[in-house]
Amino acid sequence: MDAFVVHGGRALSGTVRVSGAKNSALKLVAAALLAEGRTIVRNVPDIVDIRVMGDVLAHLGVGWQRRGDAVTLDVPADLGTETPAHLVKQLRASIVVLGPLLARCGRARVAMPGGCNLGSRNIDMHLSGLASLGARITYGPDYVEAVTPQLEGADLELPYASVGATENLLMAAVTARGTTRISNAAREPEIADLAGLLNAMGAGISGAGTSEVVVRGVEALQPAVHEVVGDRIEAGTFAVAAAVTGGDVKIEGVSPAHLRIPLGKLRAAGAEVDEGEGCLVVRGPARPRAVDVVTLPYPGFPTDLQPQFLVLLSQAAGTSMVTENVFDGRFSIVEHLQRLGVDLRIEGHHAIVRGARQLEGTTVQATDLRAGAALVLAGLVASGETVVTAPEHVDRGYADFAGRLAALGADVSRRAYAPAAGVA
Ligand code: EPU
């Protein structure tokens, strides 16, 4: 059994380069299914979620090869149309193969997805959108199947700006007959990135990155080469690490424009943030100020940075309120933060954090990807030793998290860990 072992008290300094965005790369490699031949995706993060997606695609018959940060996908004429349950259960994002497989093969059967345990994560909007495009959908407790002789363009209005539904519907619509309009589409930079690859493959998408996306269906797509957008969530995680430790860190490989609201919150909390071309520099205050945070779909404050901000605000002078609007299971970190000494209570979907508490290291458990990263950040400001178990959650989305924090001067390592009797 492995764990992150952290000794707190060091201010971070230096330069870190973020990877390509996990939540973009996962969809870009699925988009490759839409064209027979060789698609190359560069700046792909070397993380477990991508490896699992590679296994899902390999199971469908795709040749998958990584060289450095580039992944080459050789997509055959004859694709498999069924994804294996054991892989899909590890990765919720594998549901995004549904749209491209349906478009390419007229049929797809996908085992029900797994991934982070973030409360009720439904796929009803994916399915009703595909049905409006002409797919016949059947499902059971552990699979969903979609079949169509030919997808037809349609006007789709999403009841909520779902990232995954927007992506699945975009990929289904690119070769549908006629025009598809997606209203109330998600506006995340990862959506624009996906549309960038699809258009390079010959699709006719306009408006991606806004809430009105129009897809003019084309006959077929061709393979293409594409570079993944920088990971704004990884960048935001390092930005909080710099801010909470009173450090001075340059973060490269990300567009600051993709972090406008979280960077505004960091400034409001007293951090100095300088924005450059494809980089930013964050200098932490001696003591952060309290700020309120409300998670919303992009361009709102990202839910994927909410747990990290709980840690920052635990050190702030004053009381902050953090409101979670995206995932109902995203406060699973709370009891672990409380064990470290964070003064925090939950009221419905609000967390009320009373700051300026000295945290004390103990053993806590990563309950999901972002919670795990946030607990490591808490360890950076706790006295003594903090052990974060279940580090495999963090491996899903951060390449060598401990090593990169250590390169910035943190005392953190990932090592074999044997729990004392009675310790979680
Ligand atoms: N929802 C529905 N029905 C649907 C689709 C979504 O009710 O058909 C609900 C979900 O239950 C959830 C909310 O809508 O409460 C948001 O879901 P959304 O579809 O927008 O998110 P997602 O596609 O499942 C992606 C990221 C998440 C990120 C969210 C929000 C990937 C692989 N995952 O999830 O990333 O938090 O968008 O930005 O792209 C992470 O990286 O740690 C992570 C969880």
Side-chain angles (χ1 to χ4, degrees):
M1 184 163 141
D2 274 7
F4 292 113
V5 179
V6 192
H7 294 96
R10 297 195 186 174
L12 302 195
S13 70
T15 300
V16 62
R17 186 164 192 89
V18 299
S19 314
K22 165 181 88 82
N23 289 345
S24 197
L26 286 167
K27 325 305 168 57
L28 295 168
V29 296
L33 292 171
L34 285 160
E36 182 188 341
R38 173 168 289 189
T39 284
I40 299 174
V41 186
R42 302 194 210 280
N43 200 27
V44 178
D46 192 7
I47 52 176
V48 169
D49 271 9
I50 292 287
R51 282 178 231 152
V52 177
M53 187 58 120
D55 292 344
V56 170
L57 297 183
H59 180 91
L60 296 172
V62 174
W64 171 279
Q65 206 184 7
R66 175 185 275 276
R67 263 205 210 99
D69 72 2
V71 168
T72 301
L73 298 109
D74 286 306
V75 179
D78 263 351
L79 272 176
T81 56
E82 292 193 17
T83 60
H86 73 281
L87 292 175
V88 170
K89 288 220 163 76
Q90 293 170 44
L91 182 63
R92 179 187 155 84
S94 43
I95 190 69
V96 294
V97 301
L98 189 58
L101 279 182
L102 188 62
R104 179 79 200 284
C105 311
R107 177 180 183 278
R109 185 183 166 103
V110 176
M112 280 310 230
C116 270
N117 176 22
L118 296 174
S120 57
R121 294 183 72 176
N122 302 318
I123 54 166
D124 52 307
M125 288 181 246
H126 301 233
L127 302 186
S128 60
L130 293 174
S132 301
L133 293 173
R136 193 165 49 78
I137 311 273
T138 47
Y139 52 87
D142 55 1
Y143 75 93
V144 47
E145 184 165 324
V147 184
T148 184
Q150 165 70 49
L151 294 174
E152 304 277 350
D155 286 350
L156 309 175
E157 177 148 15
L158 299 182
Y160 174 89
S162 155
V163 173
T166 302
E167 292 164 338
N168 236 336
L169 296 173
L170 256 185
M171 289 191 273
V174 284
T175 53
R177 198 155 45 201
T179 298
T180 299
R181 286 183 186 75
I182 309 177
S183 306
N184 196 27
R187 291 179 281 168
E188 272 69 2
E190 293 76 21
I191 306 277
D193 202 26
L194 174 61
L197 170 61
L198 292 170
N199 282 341
M201 295 170 83
I205 301 170
S206 55
T210 76
S211 48
E212 295 291 322
V213 181
V214 179
V215 187
R216 188 180 35 78
V218 296
E219 198 68 29
L221 300 192
Q222 301 81 44
V225 177
H226 185 81
E227 180 161 329
V228 184
V229 68
D231 196 320
R232 65 197 162 95
I233 304 302
E234 193 178 58
T237 304
F238 284 115
V240 172
V244 76
T245 60
D248 182 348
V249 174
K250 181 173 188 193
I251 301 162
E252 296 179 335
V254 68
S255 169
H258 294 162
L259 284 162
R260 205 168 50 76
I261 292 191
L263 295 182
K265 292 291 176 187
L266 280 178
R267 290 189 179 103
E272 245 181 74
V273 182
D274 293 335
E275 300 181 19
E277 180 103 356
C279 67
L280 52 115
V281 176
V282 179
R283 290 181 205 92
R287 166 74 66 198
R289 290 191 288 267
V291 292
D292 292 343
V293 168
V294 178
T295 70
L296 285 170
Y298 189 86
F301 187 95
T303 177
D304 292 344
L305 287 176
Q306 180 258 96
Q308 299 87 319
F309 264 69
L310 288 179
V311 173
L312 176 69
L313 298 174
S314 77
Q315 301 305 295
T319 299
S320 309
M321 183 155 81
V322 174
T323 302
E324 173 59 49
N325 287 318
V326 179
F327 287 119
D328 49 14
R330 199 130 227 185
F331 283 140
S332 62
I333 189 177
V334 162
E335 70 167 277
H336 297 275
L337 288 177
Q338 287 166 334
R339 291 175 61 180
L340 288 164
V342 175
D343 185 345
L344 170 60
R345 70 172 200 280
I346 299 297
E347 285 180 13
H349 63 133
H350 307 289
I352 292 115
V353 192
R354 292 205 301 172
R357 296 294 184 272
Q358 174 59 55
L359 308 190
E360 293 193 9
T362 183
T363 300
V364 288
Q365 191 186 331
T367 47
D368 66 51
L369 163 59
R370 308 300 172 188
L375 289 170
V376 172
L377 302 193
L380 298 178
V381 290
S383 62
E385 181 173 277
T386 301
V387 176
V388 182
T389 63
E392 61 277 5
H393 285 292
V394 179
D395 300 338
R396 289 188 38 214
Y398 296 84
D400 189 19
F401 192 49
R404 289 154 84 208
L405 286 170
L408 296 172
D411 184 348
V412 47
S413 58
R414 189 191 158 136
R415 44 175 121 123
Y417 165 74
V423 174

